[in-house]
Amino acid sequence: MSLFRKKSIQTLISETNSKGVKLKKDLGAFDLTMLGIGAIIGTGIFVLTGVAAAEHAGPALVISFIMSGLACVFAALCYAEFASTVPVSGSAYTYSYATFGELIAWILGWDLILEYGLASSAVASGWSGYFQGLLAGFGIHFPKALTSAYNPANGTYIDIPAIMIVFLITLLLTQGVKKSSRFNAIMVIIKLAVVLLFIGVGVSYVKPENWTPFMPFGFSGVATGAATVFFAYIGFDAVATAAEEVRKPQRDMPIGIIASLAICTVLYIVVSLILTGIVPYTELNVKNPVAFALSYINQDWVAGFISLGAIVGITTVLLVMMYGQTRLFYAISRDGLLPKPFSKISEKKQTPVINTWITCLLVSIFSGLVPLGRLAELTNIGTLFAFMTVSIGILYLRKSKQTSESTGFRVPFVPVIPILAFVFCLYLALQLPKLTWISFVIWLVLGLVVYFLYGRKHSHLNSSK
């Protein structure tokens, strides 16, 4: 039974108030909402929309976004209750420690390392591509060997721009959470302005005839499209990793999670409708569908702003994903399941500086040297797995009666909402390719090896026993 030893919610909260250097409580509801939007709006809306429309859903892409959005809304309500009840760093990892026990918590933590780590590396690589495209417009080019990950056949050996942006984001993160959140808020406002510009310009060029046939690939295509564009919603759960640095977590955490997801869902639905209304879906299989749509209607001046918005959008995604990764490492290390340097806090900055530079090194290696290929798809399945676990966790939380009716936000219509969240996420996960599932299982097996060789022995619960 030691594999399923638990930490009570009271213990988790008391550990954050223990003596010593702690994370600084500097964030409010607005900061959290901006963090959520910063993580969500990025490559999904600027890249995936075209491919999903052309290959899977057609004009019914809007239904794909609604399906994915519903899965996320149900899961977000569950996250909001946990974040309000357990205002501790670590997101789903910490929640699982209180409900399912140590082994499940470790599996969730290992799963989230996959989500945040691979997403950060993939996003850094995507940022590099956009940045090089922007420089090329001014006649500036990197030597080919330094433009992409290791691939001697193509003459590339290391992605220097990707490593450069990871290093700069790390410098920002080590300056403290307030400075990072201010930078994020400015960048989020810029990219929201760019998305609204596309909507404002594009709406008058919509041709309703482009929406027929509305569902050319049938409902199965819409479902596959939903699983594909689910990547566009990934990120709101990263808000939960900030719980320990929020001034009024019981009030502000639910606001940040739900508000950011609601804003992004509405924008996604409107953008997908306008995109498929401007351009016939068969022509949208391009890497930059939003900019392509504006060029299609001869609005090239706006297309330039869209490219800038994509770079800004990807930068904020990278910032929040790397932030989430550092706070996850911090929470796991504080429980003894990872080495102590991951949970060491700088007295001056009140942030885990050593941990942040270790994260920088790992993300740089993957983004700079390793062609990720299909590994990026693992981000989707990793996130869906976390969402399903958190949804079921709400049922365990209520059954255990660890919280009172007056404790923060509570999910309405329990058990209906948590069950709907689980079913929606499971359905989307089953739409993913078989290879993704096999790779995911291999990753979890590696995690179990790490746990039994190191984590189980060094766990603080093991020491206290």
Side-chain angles (χ1 to χ4, degrees), residues 382-418:
T383 306
L384 285 165
F385 181 71
F387 286 3
M388 287 188 285
T389 308
V390 169
S391 303
I392 296 300
I394 288 294
L395 302 179
Y396 274 79
L397 187 68
R398 294 291 182 88
K399 187 177 180 181
S400 66
K401 295 183 169 59
Q402 290 193 57
T403 59
S404 64
E405 293 289 339
S406 60
T407 305
F409 177 84
R410 289 174 69 82
V411 178
F413 308 116
V414 171
V416 177
I417 296 294

Side-chain angles (χ1 to χ4, degrees), residues 328-396:
L328 177 65
F329 277 149
Y330 169 77
I332 298 175
S333 171
R334 187 170 57 186
D335 292 328
L337 303 181
L338 283 177
K340 287 183 179 179
F342 284 98
S343 54
K344 186 174 176 61
I345 300 292
S346 163
E347 291 187 29
K348 184 179 179 182
K349 302 294 185 182
Q350 290 185 272
T351 58
V353 173
I354 296 174
N355 163 357
T356 306
W357 284 110
I358 293 173
T359 300
C360 172
L361 177 64
L362 295 174
V363 173
S364 294
I365 289 171
F366 279 100
S367 62
L369 297 174
V370 183
L372 291 175
R374 283 191 172 271
L375 283 177
E377 289 184 0
L378 285 168
T379 307
N380 270 12
I381 195 168
T383 306
L384 285 165
F385 181 71
F387 286 3
M388 287 188 285
T389 308
V390 169
S391 303
I392 296 300
I394 288 294
L395 302 179
Y396 274 79

Side-chain angles (χ1 to χ4, degrees), residues 291-308:
F292 173 79
L294 290 166
S295 298
Y296 190 86
I297 56 176
N298 299 313
Q299 295 292 328
D300 294 297
W301 67 275
V302 188
F305 282 105
I306 294 296
S307 297
L308 175 63

Side-chain angles (χ1 to χ4, degrees), residues 158-178:
I158 186 170
D159 193 338
I160 289 296
I163 294 175
M164 178 183 71
I165 188 61
V166 170
F167 180 81
L168 291 174
I169 292 294
T170 303
L171 273 179
L172 179 61
L173 287 172
T174 56
Q175 299 307 302
V177 70
K178 193 61 181 178

Side-chain angles (χ1 to χ4, degrees), residues 50-113:
V51 176
E55 295 186 354
H56 304 301
L61 176 67
V62 64
I63 299 179
S64 298
F65 270 112
I66 292 171
M67 286 177 63
S68 286
L70 276 175
C72 288
V73 165
F74 294 143
L77 291 171
C78 299
Y79 266 91
E81 176 165 337
F82 267 120
S84 173
T85 307
V86 193
V88 180
S89 289
S91 187
Y93 159 78
T94 303
Y95 310 153
S96 295
Y97 222 140
T99 50
F100 300 116
E102 187 171 279
L103 181 62
I104 304 299
W106 168 260
I107 290 173
L108 256 291
W110 189 251
D111 169 63
L112 290 174
I113 289 171

Side-chain angles (χ1 to χ4, degrees), residues 19-331:
K19 293 180 181 179
V21 184
K22 296 177 289 186
L23 295 172
K24 190 174 183 181
K25 295 185 181 295
D26 242 347
L27 302 178
F30 176 78
D31 300 308
L32 293 171
T33 303
M34 291 294 103
L35 274 178
I37 297 173
I40 298 169
I41 296 182
T43 49
I45 195 169
F46 292 115
V47 178
L48 287 178
T49 45
V51 176
E55 295 186 354
H56 304 301
L61 176 67
V62 64
I63 299 179
S64 298
F65 270 112
I66 292 171
M67 286 177 63
S68 286
L70 276 175
C72 288
V73 165
F74 294 143
L77 291 171
C78 299
Y79 266 91
E81 176 165 337
F82 267 120
S84 173
T85 307
V86 193
V88 180
S89 289
S91 187
Y93 159 78
T94 303
Y95 310 153
S96 295
Y97 222 140
T99 50
F100 300 116
E102 187 171 279
L103 181 62
I104 304 299
W106 168 260
I107 290 173
L108 256 291
W110 189 251
D111 169 63
L112 290 174
I113 289 171
L114 175 77
E115 177 189 344
Y116 296 137
L118 279 186
S120 297
S121 300
V123 168
S125 297
W127 186 95
S128 172
Y130 272 98
F131 181 67
Q132 290 178 57
L134 182 67
L135 291 183
F138 295 98
I140 303 171
H141 301 275
F142 281 85
K144 188 177 181 182
L146 308 179
T147 58
S148 192
Y150 184 77
N151 189 345
N154 289 338
T156 58
Y157 292 89
I158 186 170
D159 193 338
I160 289 296
I163 294 175
M164 178 183 71
I165 188 61
V166 170
F167 180 81
L168 291 174
I169 292 294
T170 303
L171 273 179
L172 179 61
L173 287 172
T174 56
Q175 299 307 302
V177 70
K178 193 61 181 178
K179 288 184 179 178
S180 300
S181 67
R182 282 175 183 165
F183 173 82
N184 177 71
I186 294 168
M187 301 291 267
V188 165
I189 290 169
I190 293 172
K191 73 175 173 182
L192 284 178
V194 168
V195 173
L196 292 173
L197 178 64
F198 168 75
I199 293 171
V201 172
V203 69
S204 58
Y205 291 89
V206 168
K207 296 179 179 178
E209 56 266 30
N210 285 334
W211 291 331
T212 52
F214 184 67
M215 203 180 289
F217 302 98
F219 186 77
S220 62
V222 174
T224 306
T228 303
V229 300
F230 180 79
F231 186 84
Y233 286 100
I234 288 175
F236 77 82
D237 57 314
V239 176
T241 65
E244 213 167 308
E245 294 161 277
V246 181
R247 290 187 293 271
K248 297 178 180 177
Q250 277 75 19
R251 185 198 70 178
D252 294 344
M253 289 302 300
I255 293 174
I257 291 172
I258 296 169
S260 60
L261 184 61
I263 291 168
C264 294
T265 301
V266 171
L267 287 176
Y268 282 172
I269 290 171
V270 174
V271 167
S272 61
L273 276 172
I274 291 175
L275 190 66
T276 53
I278 293 175
V279 184
Y281 74 89
T282 52
E283 299 181 38
L284 280 173
N285 194 5
V286 294
K287 290 183 178 180
N288 56 342
V290 177
F292 173 79
L294 290 166
S295 298
Y296 190 86
I297 56 176
N298 299 313
Q299 295 292 328
D300 294 297
W301 67 275
V302 188
F305 282 105
I306 294 296
S307 297
L308 175 63
I311 292 174
V312 170
I314 295 171
T315 303
T316 61
V317 175
L318 181 59
L319 172 68
V320 180
M321 286 297 168
M322 287 188 65
Y323 169 83
Q325 180 72 84
T326 61
R327 295 324 187 254
L328 177 65
F329 277 149
Y330 169 77

